[in-house]
Every structure is written in C-alpha cells, then in structure tokens.
Amino acid sequence: ETTEAHINAVLTQLNDLRAALPLDAEPNALQRARDAPLSLNALSLTFDFLDETKNLETLQHASWLTLNDYRRTSTGSHMVLDSRALENLTLLESEERTTKNSVFGFLDRTTTRFGRRMLFQWTCHPLQSPYQVEARLKTVEYLITHPEMSAQLREMLLKFKSIDLERCLALACSARLQLKAFVDFTDALHSV
C-alpha cells in the first residue's frame, strides 16, 4: 500500500528526473502519471526496486533516454529486448554458455548461413504485432501442411549451403566480391 509519504517521494523523484531533462522534455507518460494514483503507486514500487538494486542513480543520470523515445521504438513491429532479458529468457544461450539448451538452439534447423542469421534476428527481436504473428503462423502452417513444397524449398536452399547468398549480395553491391565467390554465387543461382 502506498502512503502519502511514498507519493510525495515519487513526485520528488519525478521532479528530479525532469530537472535532468531538457526544458519541456518530460515524457508524456510521466506527465500523465502525476495525475494517476495507480501510476504513482507503480512508480513508487519501481523506484523502490531500482533503489534496492542500486539502479536508481543510473536512471537519474540517463537523461538522454526519454520514455517518449523508448515508446516510439517499442511500438514498432518487434519487441526491444535488452541483454538481461535475452540472458534471463535463455533465448540465445543456456546457463552453460552454449546454444544447445537455448530457445535459439531448440529452434535452429536452418541449412544456410543467411537463414541462421534470420532466425537469430527473429529470436532476438520477437514480433509483437498480433497480425504479423498470425501471418507468420499461417506461413508455417502452410509449409507443414504442404510437405512437398517444404521439401522443394529445402532442396533449393541446400544449394546455397556453402554460399552465403546474403553476404555475396552485400559484397557485390559494394564492389568487393571476389571473382571466385562471384562464380560460385552465379553457379548456385543457375542451379536453382
């Protein structure tokens, strides 16, 4: 339960944070929180937690980060996960520091380097739009219900197993693709 003393402490913290920001740069979320008792209660608990974990001072010095900027990036199509979240959710590596028992290791059945990079990006930045999640699920469902299409696609991608298609294209665009890599790349394209 939040007492009036807690609310006053939160308002003082908010004023301190606002003082660290450029003039009139207080995030909209914090402006609205001043008039909402439940938000002040949540902020009180948050500030207590940050103080207990010795992170409150870090927040106070991070005046370059505003909630408005964070909100803009977090309302995109993908979640923004920091390194702590990636570690705690064992998305990329397990406690043993291997991918074997991680979410990425469990999902990784890729045959190409560019496919592995794509899966890595998808694991690090999960979709948050329900429509995009549904579209991806429909694509996966289609490939599961049409095994002949999956087999053809896999066979085609296996031709690029030794060639990193994405990297070759990037090097070609920057005029740094070596002749042997170019020949291998074009041979693989012709074989598809």
Side-chain angles (χ1 to χ4, degrees), residues 36 38 68 71 78 81 99 101-103 106 113 116 164 169 184 190 192:
L38 286 176
N68 291 340
R71 184 87 176 133
H78 299 85
L81 300 177
T99 59
N101 294 321
S102 67
V103 172
F106 177 75
R113 293 179 203 152
R116 185 176 169 90
D164 192 337
L169 287 172
D184 292 343
H190 285 296
V192 174

Side-chain angles (χ1 to χ4, degrees), residues 118 122 127 131-147 149-150 153:
M118 180 188 287
W122 286 2
L127 292 173
Y131 304 108
Q132 290 180 327
V133 170
E134 189 64 34
R136 192 173 287 171
L137 285 173
K138 285 182 180 177
T139 303
V140 170
E141 181 182 16
Y142 179 83
L143 290 172
I144 289 172
T145 57
H146 294 84
M149 173 71 81
S150 296
L153 188 58

